[in-house]
Amino acid sequence: MFEGEGFVVDDAPSGEIGIAMFNRMASDMAIVDIMLPGMSGFETCLALRNASDLPIVIVSARDDTADVVLGLESGADDYVTKPFVPKCCSLACARTFADVRRRAPVPFSWARCT
């Protein structure tokens, strides 16, 4: 979905691997699913947020208000529920990048969306 819009996407099968990848390579954004094996998406989001101001969008089948609130309190910048129209997730990324651009002292790149 994102590759077709010019993004470079690196997939991680678990939160632990995602965090290890984040520590090894520069990323402009993280898209996190809540229902990950091992470390939950909430824990992954919190760990990423504690380490960085990296924009984070949660994409999850869990649509209960409590899950959305927990995701945002865990450090996510936006929360998109599945199933979704691909453009909805792209819009969530665009909103998040717009917010980052307003706060960033240097131009922000769309070159990588992880």
Side-chain angles (χ1 to χ4, degrees):
M1 168 175 68
F2 292 106
E3 292 93 340
E5 294 187 32
F7 293 100
V8 175
V9 177
D10 297 306
D11 294 321
S14 71
E16 293 88 352
I17 293 172
I19 290 170
M21 290 170 64
F22 166 77
N23 289 329
R24 283 194 324 267
M25 65 179 73
S27 297
D28 289 334
M29 173 176 269
I31 299 173
V32 179
D33 193 330
I34 296 304
M35 296 185 287
L36 294 170
M39 174 186 254
S40 77
F42 295 123
E43 294 168 312
T44 302
C45 186
L46 187 60
L48 289 170
R49 180 56 65 229
N50 285 336
S52 171
D53 284 335
L54 175 82
I56 302 168
V57 175
I58 291 177
V59 178
S60 179
R62 292 169 59 170
D63 62 357
D64 186 74
T65 301
D67 289 323
V68 175
V69 169
L70 183 57
L72 295 172
E73 288 178 347
S74 296
D77 297 289
D78 209 339
Y79 192 109
V80 178
T81 58
K82 297 178 192 176
F84 59 87
V85 177
K87 287 290 182 188
C88 288
C89 195
S90 294
L91 289 172
C93 290
R95 281 192 303 268
T96 301
F97 276 127
D99 183 53
V100 170
R101 274 195 314 273
R102 281 190 296 276
R103 294 182 283 133
V106 295
F108 197 76
S109 170
W110 275 83
R112 186 172 198 82
C113 185
T114 304

